Amino acid sequence: MLLHLPTSVSEVQQHIAEGALPIGGATLVWATFQRDGFPDRAMSLRNLPEANVLGPETLGSAVVLQRIDDRVPEVLRRAAGSIGTGAVRRAATVGGNIVGSTLRCLLPAALVLDARATVLDAAGVYETDLTELLAKRPLLLGVNWRTPLVSGYLKQEGDPGGPPPFVVATAVHAEPDGTKRLRLAVRDGYEFLTATTPYDTDVDTVLHTVENTDIGALPADARELVHGRIRDILAR
Ligand SMILES: Cc1cc2nc3c(=O)[nH]c(=O)nc-3n(C[C@H](O)[C@H](O)[C@H](O)COP(=O)(O)OP(=O)(O)OC[C@H]3O[C@@H](n4cnc5c(N)ncnc54)[C@H](O)[C@@H]3O)c2cc1C
């Protein structure tokens, strides 16, 4: 296997055209390679500056989970810190988690931050939303968002080998029109549900709005966890 380490977007484009498979830390693909054989060409973005940014409103796809610190909003930092073991977090990347894994613990955090993805395909570099990113799975260069006023992340304890633990992510943003919005994202099994509501200091009004979304169809114990997180973020 030839491993390319491009340092510019044009080199990345060239390697995509040559059919190179993107890899991050290979924490997921390694087992597949060993079982099915190695691809002729692979490409890591670890030397590409655009894929290594880490700041208050941006995160590159080649950043390893272990590096995600308090420069990013709490919701993203907690999500990254909850993933796998220290060994996994030292190798696994943002791109591998959001685009390439099924658990995607970073995704609820990215959803409540209303993050946009910068991607690269045959059309060149462009920005897209997370729904399109997951549907088309182009090469991810990074994600960016607006800093929230406050955010939070809860991941329930899970059993090794058991179903994915329930996750609730929350964030409140000040909107350009002067209002505030609360965004919620839930991982239930392998499904991701979202809700957006105007921020209101009256908890019951917010809970009522959320109950009328898909989240309202979750089992009672899951909804109780969601309600707890809403109360918590509104209090903050
Ligand atoms: C022991 C263990 C525990 C784990 N626990 C959790 C957990 O609690 N929560 C959770 O969310 N995940 C968990 N995971 C999965 C973990 O998130 C993934 O292993 C990791 O995120 C994959 O990242 P990687 O960089 O190693 O990806 P790789 O293995 O290198 O690649 C995985 C896939 O992503 C694609 N890919 C990589 N980078 C990009 C990119 N920039 N653009 C497009 N596609 C790309 C690759 O082509 C490949 O298909 C666990 C894994 C292990 C081994």
Side-chain angles (χ1 to χ4, degrees):
M1 179 179 82
L2 187 56
L3 177 64
H4 298 288
L5 296 168
T7 56
S8 70
V9 166
S10 57
E11 280 175 42
V12 174
Q13 276 176 308
Q14 184 193 325
H15 298 315
I16 289 181
E18 291 163 352
L21 177 81
I23 54 168
T27 58
L28 287 182
V29 291
W30 191 253
T32 316
F33 289 172
Q34 287 190 315
R35 190 188 62 223
D36 302 338
F38 285 75
D40 290 341
R41 289 170 187 270
M43 166 176 58
S44 159
L45 304 185
R46 80 167 81 120
N47 291 346
L48 182 74
E50 290 86 339
N52 281 285
V53 288
L54 172 54
E57 299 197 331
T58 183
L59 187 58
S61 66
V63 172
V64 295
L65 304 179
Q66 181 76 22
R67 278 189 61 215
I68 299 178
D69 57 18
D70 58 10
R71 280 172 282 183
V72 304
E74 177 180 336
V75 64
L76 208 43
R77 188 174 75 247
R78 285 191 187 279
S82 78
I83 294 171
T85 59
V88 170
R89 291 192 295 275
R90 280 191 290 277
T93 62
V94 170
N97 187 265
I98 295 181
V99 187
S101 83
T102 49
L103 290 176
R104 300 191 164 123
C105 277
L106 293 185
L107 182 61
L111 286 167
V112 295
L113 291 174
D114 202 21
R116 305 269 303 161
T118 305
V119 301
L120 179 59
D121 67 10
V125 176
Y126 63 98
E127 215 178 75
T128 187
D129 59 35
L130 296 173
T131 308
E132 189 174 315
L133 172 72
L134 298 184
K136 296 189 176 165
R137 296 166 57 115
L139 180 76
L140 178 67
L141 293 180
V143 286
N144 62 83
W145 59 85
R146 283 184 305 120
T147 299
L149 298 170
V150 59
S151 65
Y153 188 87
L154 171 86
K155 180 175 174 180
Q156 272 197 308
E157 291 293 318
D159 297 325
F166 190 69
V167 166
V168 189
T170 45
V172 175
H173 281 89
E175 299 299 321
D177 64 3
T179 62
K180 292 178 194 164
R181 291 193 86 73
L182 167 67
R183 291 184 175 82
L184 278 167
V186 162
R187 183 183 72 195
D188 178 39
Y190 292 98
E191 259 201 279
F192 294 85
L193 306 176
T194 57
T196 304
T197 121
Y199 170 89
D200 197 308
T201 45
D202 179 31
V203 176
D204 289 336
T205 305
V206 174
L207 293 181
H208 180 73
T209 312
V210 171
E211 280 292 312
N212 284 323
T213 69
D214 289 347
I215 291 175
L218 289 169
D221 54 343
R223 283 188 1 255
E224 200 40 56
L225 278 175
V226 173
H227 291 184
R229 299 311 294 170
I230 292 173
R231 288 195 188 91
D232 174 77
I233 200 154
L234 295 186
R236 286 160 63 200

